[in-house]
């Protein structure tokens, strides 16, 4: 299959690994930003094939994982209303709020529906004019254009019973927050290729200059990731810190101008709370004044809901790269995909879920009888 089989070629992978081993002379800590990259690294054992001194730190680029607890609780409050059809992608239904999740709301009688596109939710609103239809719009720059287009269509078509519960976050401010953290150990970044395919690469050279870190735009297949790591190590070893695009087949420097124009029209930048991390200034989007009537938080008066994060779940430390998933005492014991304490164990892109799926047999100590 084009762009899949050839990017998993074991001989080419060994060649790239040989090059990485040949140029590495000292330890380096590299953060892959995206949860999809984390899963590829763990699934294929890439981190175990690298030189001993190279550590892959798993970053906060999992959209489900960084959705804050208070947004989940707002979703639960809205979804429980009898006049609401609450629509979401399937990976949000099992994410725990402070006392429940969307599956439990559904089992208690709430009209919670899994959809495959925000346009599916808009069609439900058109077909059910006597119900309020809410779409749970979460994620990074990758998913935001479709949500922006849906709100734009709702306004253009006069579908007033549709609204969007927004929790969109942005990658560049998160990189800045990670680098400014006192305990930061990150020396380079593999940037998320799909985010850059939308937004372009212009926001990253200033970050590389300001913090003195290489940033390499990277894809998701094994050879993509190895090539990103190879370029990163070459920069680190030579003392350089620039942006490189190792994913040119999908990422033009300008991104997708049509998508970014729609984003600028529908959304405006705002401070956002990241689950387990806290508030990062100017790190997210909210609906602009022209589309504020479609804001579900305001429509259903849930803006006052505030929820403290769990003291048991240490996903925030995982998302910041301070902790590997298996170093959490609850990993694979109190916290499993069937009984998750945090979103990093629920999401298909969560680091904890990746370690549980691919590494738990070697990482979780068997109970002693």
């Amino acid at each position: 299959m084009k762009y899949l089989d050839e990017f998993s070629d074991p001989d080419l992978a060994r060649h790239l690994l040989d090059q990485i081993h040949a140029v590495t002379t000292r330890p380096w800590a590299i953060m892959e930003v995206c949860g999809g990259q984390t899963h590829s690294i763990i699934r294929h054992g890439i981190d175990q094939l690298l030189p001993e001194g190279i550590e892959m730190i798993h970053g906060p680029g999992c959209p489900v994982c960084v959705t804050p607890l208070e947004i989940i609780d707002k979703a639960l409050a809205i979804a429980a209303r009898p006049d609401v059809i609450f629509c979401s992608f399937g990976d949000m239904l099992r994410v725990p709020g402070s006392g429940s999740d969307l599956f439990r709301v559904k089992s208690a009688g709430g009209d919670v529906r899994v959809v495959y596109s925000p346009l599916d939710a808009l069609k439900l609103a058109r077909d059910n004019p006597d119900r309020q239809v809410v779409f749970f719009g979460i994620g990074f720059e990758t998913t935001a254009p479709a949500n922006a287009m849906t709100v734009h269509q709702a306004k253009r078509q006069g579908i007033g019973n549709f609204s969007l519960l927004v929790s969109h976050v942005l990658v560049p401010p998160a990189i800045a927050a990670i680098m400014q953290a006192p305990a930061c150990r990150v020396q380079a970044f593999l940037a998320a290729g799909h985010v850059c395919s939308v937004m372009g690469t212009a926001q990253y050279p200033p970050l590389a200059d300001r913090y003195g870190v290489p940033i390499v735009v990277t894809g998701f297949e094994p050879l993509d990731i190895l090539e990103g790591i190879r370029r990163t190590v070459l920069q680190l070893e030579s003392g350089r810190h620039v942006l490189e695009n190792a994913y040119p087949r999908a990422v033009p420097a300008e991104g997708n101008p049509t998508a970014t124009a729609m984003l600028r029209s529908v959304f405006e930048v705002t401070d956002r709370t990241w689950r387990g991390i806290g508030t990062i200034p100017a790190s997210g989007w909210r609906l602009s004044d022209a589309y504020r009537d479609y804001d579900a938080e305001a429509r259903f008066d849930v803006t006052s809901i505030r929820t403290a994060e769990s003291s048991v779940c240490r996903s925030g430390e995982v998302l910041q790269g301070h902790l590997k998933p298996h170093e959490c005492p609850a990993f694979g014991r109190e916290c499993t995909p069937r009984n998750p304490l945090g979103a990093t164990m629920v999401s298909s892109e969560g680091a904890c879920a990746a370690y549980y799926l691919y590494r738990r047999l070697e990482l979780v100590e068997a109970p002693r009888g």
Side-chain angles (χ1 to χ4, degrees), residues 34 37 61 67 70 78 83 98 108 132 135 184 192-193 209 216 232 240 258 279 285 288 304 313 343 353 365:
C34 178
Q37 293 169 335
T67 302
E70 67 181 43
I78 295 170
D83 59 333
S98 57
Q132 290 289 324
F135 181 74
C184 176
D209 289 340
V216 179
T232 302
R240 294 184 300 121
T258 302
T279 299
W285 278 313
S288 65
S304 62
C313 178
E365 182 180 336

Side-chain angles (χ1 to χ4, degrees), residues 75-76 79-80 85-86 93 100-114:
L76 298 176
I85 300 173
F86 193 89
L93 267 65
S100 185
D101 58 36
L102 286 168
F103 261 133
R104 292 177 187 174
V105 171
K106 182 177 177 66
S107 68
D111 194 348
V112 177
R113 305 191 192 186
V114 174

Side-chain angles (χ1 to χ4, degrees), residues 188-256:
F189 289 92
L190 302 185
H194 51 9
V195 168
C196 294
S197 71
V198 175
M199 303 301 293
T201 59
Q203 294 174 293
Y204 294 93
L207 291 170
D209 289 340
R210 186 183 315 151
Y211 300 108
V213 291
I215 300 177
V216 179
V217 178
T218 305
F220 305 90
E221 299 303 323
L223 296 190
D224 288 323
I225 291 170
L226 288 170
E227 173 64 6
I229 294 171
R230 186 189 70 84
R231 294 193 188 201
T232 302
V233 172
L234 283 172
Q235 285 199 47
L236 289 166
E237 291 282 343
S238 63
R240 294 184 300 121
H241 47 85
V242 299
L243 171 78
E244 289 189 54
N245 183 4
Y247 198 34
R249 71 180 186 275
V251 177
E254 69 277 10
N256 185 329

Side-chain angles (χ1 to χ4, degrees), residues 331-343:
F331 174 82
R333 298 177 178 86
E334 296 90 347
C335 184
T336 67
R338 289 180 63 87
N339 183 39
L341 295 180

Side-chain angles (χ1 to χ4, degrees), residues 33-37 39 59-69 71-72 89 91-92 95 136-144 147 167-171 192 194-195 220 273-275 319 343-344 346-351:
V33 171
C34 178
Q37 293 169 335
H39 267 254
C62 161
V64 174
C65 305
V66 301
T67 302
L69 194 60
I71 288 287
I72 303 297
F89 295 141
D91 53 3
M92 291 303 299
V95 178
F136 201 178
I138 69 140
F140 289 88
E141 296 95 328
T142 318
T143 56
N147 294 338
S167 186
H168 280 302
V169 289
L170 308 173
V171 169
H194 51 9
V195 168
F220 305 90
T273 300
W274 295 53
R275 188 166 196 169
L319 291 168
T344 48
V346 177
S347 172
S348 60
E349 294 187 5

